[in-house]
Amino acid sequence: MESTNQPSDLSEEHRRHVLPNVGGRHRRPSGQPPALPHVLGRTGRFWLVMIAYFISVLIGVLIFPSAARLFERFDSMRLRGFASLRADWLTDPMTWINTLASRWVIRFIRWGTILALIAFKRWRQLWVFIGAVIFVEFFTYQIALYMARPRPLDVTILAGWNGYSMPSRPLAGLAVSMVGAAYGLIVAGRPRYRTKWVIAAVLGVIVFARLYLAVDQPTSAGFGAIFGVAVALVAFRWFCPNDVFPVSYRRGKSAHLDVGGARGEAIVAAVRDQLGLEVLEIKPVGLEGSGGSTPLRMLVKGSGDRPERYLFAKLYAKNHVRADRWYKLGRSILYGALEDETPFKTVRRFVEYEDYTLRLLNDHKIATPEPYGVVEITPEREYMIVMEFFEGAVEIGEAEIDDTVIDEGLQLIMRMWEAGLAHRDVKPANLMVRDGHLKVIDVFFVQVRPSPWRQAVDLANMMMVLALRTDPDRVYRRALRVFTEEELSEAFAAARGVASPTQLRTMMKTDGRGILERFRELAPARRPVSIQRWSVRRILLTMCVAVVALLAFALVASNWTVFA
Amino acid sequence: MIRRAIPVALAAAIALSGCTSSSSDMPACTGTGENLFVLMAQSVPSATQLPCVAELPAGWTFAGSQVQSGLTRFWLDSDRAGIHAVQVDLTRSCDTSEGVGAPPGPDETNMEVFVVPGLPPSFSATRFVVFNGGCVTYRYRFGGDAPPSLTVEAEEALSFLSRLVIVRTVRLDFGLSLCGAFAAECAG
């Protein structure tokens, strides 16, 4: 059997593209951190440890009554110390400060934050904020009932209170609201850092006032404040990390990752180590046309006979996997199993699939970017797929469209049909024209052996994109040279509603010429293809989602006294 | 749209959030729910008596309590008189000016009782029991055709526990003072 160092079918040109600068690559040895290690942060860990500490204390107190006695005496001793500071001139200001933890102040902060998040359309932050508040309200309420700890003993209480004392619910509610507002509304960095110090100072003063007035025990006040802060902090860092959902008052889509700072440095290091390429510049591009990933243009250093050039990259993170999961769940409920609605489980699978589809289309000589490979940024959390950048290409919506481009668009669909593929996302943002020739990008949605419905939809979408810059009659005439009348008729019977990407539907609406209607007039009449697919799975899935929604509603309703 | 509307709907719930508190623990005159009695005693420190539930007759259920500074409140539900048929409030004092003096019940020694009858069609009445340092108000609101005689059942179900019992228990359990009536003087 013949053995060679390089695969014999790999041409020199292909090797130059696919395996560039092999010498610059560097395998990460075991134990060495990845390009961008995942960290919860020192403060995040601190607050988690504090929560664990308090929960273990609570369990200890419940199991051993002597521990409860110990804490009660300890707290009373401390409170007597605070009571010794009492003076007429100090009591009034302390009473006023205590009103900052009143329900009206907490409501004001919550309403303000909620309205601001809605105004800025920061839905992710809104969800996390609401979730954190519900979590804190629900659990502090339940813990308070379970612990049933009375108000401080041995010291006269000087302020109003409500219910059991452990944990302090006003402090927990105030803390989660203030920290949630800071994470949801304040830009990360120095402004948020300063805000957190202000919050710490405010909480500190209120805790002091409540201990002075003996309305809470020190341990109840401490647990309440720490619990509120920790839940908000961990919730935002976990479900709404700043580098994935940055708080910014500039325009941009929330799905896009911040590629500056530590991530930018990690990308440079990862591309150097894993692909052997020296990145000179990273720039986000085409953000408005992409919601599922963060598209980047990278300038890489030339080597050998290869000049300095641009590469295209797409950065994927866990939030993209979650978005894909929700999107497919929604589609399954609204339309049934129109096509494969199985969600991706991991980010790794995400990029692996796109890398596969790129290579598959290249194998079929379809004009797509040449793949350079997958780069690991943070294991199992962030990956980047790198490919050729069509330098000098313009989006089809801004290009001159002649018969060559029209024919290439139609041929592209025919070639995909012959290869048993569907692009599934044919829209202006994914079709580029360079030197008068059509190129197709963003092949993530490509499906092997798709349904005939989806293949027909691809054809209709392509013809509508081409007609946007020309006219339907001309595109239809050219299409008859490639497709039969029956195929064209099927295409426009299938292209209904969600079958066309949002961008294409919006542009058609703006165009206002009734392109789809004109195509339907030109093609032989055919009954519309239904996009509703009914199955036992769809019914069960819909019922499950309805039950979960009902349970969530019941949870809130049954604890209404906590909220209202 | 729906996805965006849900947080907005939940927002209303949260925005209304406060720190109200209600518990399903029952203040049984047998002394169970000791911590609830401590909290009730703290809510009106001057009160020498605490309202409690002696024994619930058939058809009556305890419907929850709410304890805060200055007020302890709990409710009884009846299968005939309806939800919250009886509301019991413990306060420092109460306005009995519209009430008419009435004989105290067997558990109401050294207490003054005043009654304010309600207006038809359905039965309603208010009964004030005034004692040293506090006042308990029973509000009867019977729905439908529930007979007024049900008040007898309710009165049998409700009784009093001396604050002294709770003060002694706290002293014994924690070595600390339950500030207020019958207790040693507190700091501050």
Side-chain angles (χ1 to χ4, degrees), chain B residues 48-125:
Chain B
T48 52
Q49 300 290 332
L50 303 172
C52 61
V53 180
E55 197 177 338
L56 286 171
W60 289 86
T61 46
F62 181 75
S65 64
Q66 188 186 327
V67 187
Q68 62 189 62
S69 52
L71 172 71
T72 286
R73 175 172 288 171
F74 61 84
W75 301 271
L76 297 183
D77 289 351
S78 163
D79 56 358
R80 287 152 290 168
I83 292 169
H84 289 192
V86 183
Q87 177 180 298
V88 181
D89 287 353
L90 166 68
T91 48
R92 172 75 181 82
S93 59
C94 43
D95 180 10
T96 58
S97 57
E98 289 179 21
V100 179
D107 299 330
E108 296 167 350
T109 46
N110 298 324
M111 299 182 192
E112 288 182 276
V113 178
F114 301 89
V115 176
V116 181
L119 295 170
S122 52
F123 175 77
S124 68

Side-chain angles (χ1 to χ4, degrees), chain A residues 306-354:
Chain A
R306 299 279 291 163
E308 197 174 271
R309 65 198 183 281
Y310 285 111
L311 293 180
F312 184 71
K314 286 165 79 177
L315 194 56
Y316 284 109
K318 286 186 103 173
N319 61 306
H320 299 122
V321 179
R322 280 195 288 265
D324 174 72
R325 196 178 301 149
W326 285 108
Y327 173 70
K328 285 176 172 166
L329 177 70
R331 274 174 59 104
S332 299
I333 291 170
L334 290 175
Y335 307 107
L338 268 175
E339 43 206 325
D340 180 18
E341 302 291 3
T342 313
F344 287 93
K345 293 261 190 289
T346 63
V347 194
R348 183 194 293 275
R349 293 283 161 85
F350 233 66
V351 284
E352 277 177 355
Y353 186 75
E354 181 155 1

